[in-house]
Amino acid sequence: MKILKFGGTSVGSVENLHKVKEILTSDQEEKIVVCSAMSGVTDQLVRLVESIKFNNPEEITRSLHRLENKHYDVIDALVDNQEVKNTLKDGVSSIITEMFEVSSQEYSDIINSRIITFGETLLTYIFSGFLNSIGISNVLLDAKEFMHVDSVENPNIEKVRKKINKVLNDNIQSPIYITQGFVCIDENNQISHLKRGGSDYTATIIGAALNASEVQIWTDIDGLHNNDPRYVDGTHPIAHLTYNEAAELAYFGAKILHPQTVSPVVDKDIPVLLKNTFDPEAQGTVISNKVNRKGLKAISAKDGITAIKIKSNRMLMAHGYLRRIFEVFDNFNTSIDMITTSEIAISLTIDDTSNLDEIVKEIENYAEITVEQDHSIICIVGESVINDRNSYKLFEILNYIPVRMVSYGGSNNNISILVDTRDKIPTLRFLNERLFQIPEKAVV
Ligand code: ASP
Ligand code: MG
């Protein structure tokens, strides 16, 4: 059994859905196919939630009609048989009716989750029906019946295993099962979600639960690149990454992967393959336990970082000071990414600023605190990268760009620097030139 996950672009048009169909039928192995919503749909649903929040019935109606028409158009272009067309449109119409009903209720977190996960419901319903109508037999599974994820950070894989095995036993056996990414049921038995981009995570949770032979993540790029191709020319896909490397890159900005994707499969050593729907023959990236080579592999950048400096003379020679500061962040559920200290000051970064005002108020009681927004963490990743003999070149950046913080040695696999977001692109380009201008094989 293997798991294949297709992202928003891969299922984002009729043409692309045909490509996905080709991939699914290219071998006979039993598979579970996890799909995202069509690209743009979840964003549209997020806006719909705003209309519910601000009680704007005209906008709700407009938005749901737009969504209905979009999916009707897909059915029209995808399906030839008129009867199948009608059946699928009726199905979409009942989903939209349900959405109207949910949208008429008062806003809450549950309403938010219910609405934003409907994109996956719509797409999987249509795609499964289409495949069956052309003789590619498959069974549509409702992810809400088995994705019982009490804690998003630490899912109970055993629970998912029991539930999915029951669902598979209760359904007829099929070479292809299709299900929705992103959606889950939380510890209060309510509909919830795995955060934006969470379908990747759905795929690896299912992969771990079923002990799959591999998890394939199909996107619109041929694997994870050594630098951000949006800003840097001449990047190349990396053939192998370790789980550690992939986790660091995903957490620190590599958009191709949800940050938690690899965590469920690490212990079981189930490989995760990153593949390109538009070039299925391309090698892509394999993520596994295997360390193919050590040293520098890739650079990524994470925006929206806030740098905080906390300074107090009372810190001099005092113990327990850091604990007091960390406690404040902890009390306000805010996690810290980077940190550097001197004898009387500490600098740290956060990305979630929802409780920043309260944090500042609290710390102001015993220290001077300054906050600088719009920073980016640039992260240099590779197994034992700190021992890579070319890593020193990274510090030449100090000649050209004002670096706000450096974190070196926190782990062997990551060196991070913090810069103003205005300097992000020049930094990425500079590092690409200095660190990757050596032929790959020469890096030990
Ligand atoms: N559809 C959801 C999103 O756009 C989940 C996903 O695509 O992974 O975030
Ligand atoms: Mg994604």
Side-chain angles (χ1 to χ4, degrees), residues 252 338 377-380 405-408 414-418:
F252 287 108
M338 271 177 89
I377 294 179
I378 313 285
C379 187
I380 294 104
M405 282 168 72
V406 177
S407 167
Y408 179 93
N414 164 336
I415 305 169
S416 300
I417 61 177
L418 184 74

Side-chain angles (χ1 to χ4, degrees), residues 306-429:
T306 297
I308 300 173
K309 182 183 279 175
I310 298 160
K311 194 173 155 201
S312 166
N313 286 328
R314 277 190 273 163
M315 222 188 284
L316 192 66
M317 314 283 283
H319 62 82
Y321 206 86
L322 289 179
R323 183 182 53 75
R324 273 177 70 188
I325 288 168
F326 287 148
E327 236 165 40
V328 177
F329 287 86
D330 191 26
N331 291 343
F332 289 103
N333 297 322
T334 302
S335 62
I336 295 169
D337 280 331
M338 271 177 89
I339 161 161
T340 59
T341 67
S342 78
E343 187 53 40
I344 59 155
I346 106 170
S347 273
L348 50 84
T349 70
I350 60 172
D351 67 350
D352 176 3
T353 52
S354 35
N355 294 322
L356 184 58
D357 290 346
E358 285 93 333
I359 291 172
V360 170
K361 224 193 269 153
E362 183 78 33
I363 291 180
E364 263 172 354
N365 289 329
Y366 47 91
E368 227 177 89
I369 174 165
T370 42
V371 174
E372 295 165 64
Q373 253 131 17
D374 298 324
H375 278 64
S376 298
I377 294 179
I378 313 285
C379 187
I380 294 104
V381 169
E383 292 284 335
S384 296
V385 70
I386 65 166
N387 301 319
D388 187 310
R389 62 187 149 88
N390 284 303
S391 291
Y392 75 92
K393 292 185 181 165
L394 148 75
F395 294 100
E396 289 171 16
I397 190 99
L398 296 170
N399 274 332
Y400 306 95
I401 296 203
V403 172
R404 172 70 181 73
M405 282 168 72
V406 177
S407 167
Y408 179 93
S411 97
N412 286 349
N413 311 326
N414 164 336
I415 305 169
S416 300
I417 61 177
L418 184 74
V419 297
D420 192 302
T421 298
R422 275 186 308 229
D423 294 324
K424 175 182 81 169
I425 296 175
T427 304
L428 287 174
R429 289 185 180 153

Side-chain angles (χ1 to χ4, degrees), residues 24-238:
L24 295 185
T25 49
S26 66
D27 68 47
Q28 300 305 316
E29 201 179 329
E30 199 178 30
K31 14 181 117 60
I32 296 200
V33 180
V34 176
C35 295
S36 292
M38 298 180 78
S39 57
V41 166
T42 311
D43 287 337
Q44 202 181 323
L45 295 173
V46 168
R47 290 194 292 275
L48 171 60
V49 169
E50 289 299 295
S51 310
I52 299 172
K53 219 180 205 167
F54 297 110
N55 199 8
N56 186 343
E58 290 85 20
E59 192 46 46
I60 293 173
T61 306
R62 258 198 301 274
S63 175
L64 286 172
H65 281 315
R66 229 181 295 136
L67 204 67
E68 186 169 50
N69 288 332
K70 183 184 173 85
H71 288 87
Y72 277 181
D73 288 348
V74 173
I75 295 169
D76 275 330
L78 197 59
V79 178
D80 292 330
N81 181 308
Q82 193 55 45
E83 219 173 294
V84 178
K85 252 185 214 199
N86 294 343
T87 313
L88 290 182
K89 284 189 181 174
D90 285 349
V92 164
S93 167
S94 351
I95 298 172
I96 298 284
T97 306
E98 192 186 340
M99 294 180 77
F100 265 109
E101 200 272 312
V102 177
S103 303
S104 67
Q105 298 176 31
E106 205 183 319
Y107 174 82
S108 68
D109 282 350
I110 297 169
I111 297 293
N112 175 54
S113 291
R114 288 188 66 183
I115 291 291
I116 65 171
T117 54
F118 266 114
E120 275 72 9
T121 312
L122 285 161
L123 182 277
T124 50
Y125 171 74
I126 294 172
F127 191 46
S128 165
F130 157 66
L131 290 178
N132 275 324
S133 79
I134 55 165
I136 302 172
S137 60
N138 72 90
V139 171
L140 180 62
L141 303 179
D142 182 355
K144 296 189 284 299
E145 287 180 14
F146 56 85
M147 283 298 291
H148 285 233
V149 173
D150 298 351
S151 146
V152 174
E153 283 69 35
N154 197 6
N156 181 346
I157 301 293
E158 261 324 294
K159 189 166 180 178
V160 178
R161 183 199 319 279
K162 283 197 192 114
K163 295 209 174 273
I164 196 165
N165 277 329
K166 177 163 180 351
V167 169
L168 290 172
N169 279 332
D170 290 351
N171 274 283
I172 53 161
Q173 210 178 346
S174 170
I176 300 176
Y177 296 93
I178 295 184
T179 195
Q180 307 80 29
F182 189 40
V183 68
C184 67
I185 299 294
D186 70 12
E187 74 273 29
N188 303 316
N189 255 323
Q190 299 290 352
I191 295 181
S192 184
H193 60 85
L194 298 172
K195 308 216 174 87
R196 294 303 305 270
S199 299
D200 300 341
Y201 197 26
T202 305
T204 50
I205 292 174
I206 297 177
L210 291 177
N211 245 321
S213 57
E214 63 184 38
V215 177
Q216 303 178 353
I217 311 260
W218 290 83
T219 65
D220 50 5
I221 182 168
D222 46 0
L224 209 147
H225 279 227
N226 66 323
N227 205 326
D228 195 325
R230 287 172 302 178
Y231 309 121
V232 178
D233 292 332
T235 63
H236 59 82
I238 309 167

Side-chain angles (χ1 to χ4, degrees), residues 5 197 200 255-258:
K5 178 261 169 176
D200 300 341
K255 284 277 171 292
I256 182 173
L257 216 54
H258 180 278

Side-chain angles (χ1 to χ4, degrees), residues 10 14-24 277-278:
S10 300
V14 170
E15 198 190 335
N16 297 355
L17 285 169
H18 279 288
K19 296 201 163 84
V20 174
K21 178 196 78 185
E22 293 303 317
I23 294 166
L24 295 185
T277 305
F278 307 102

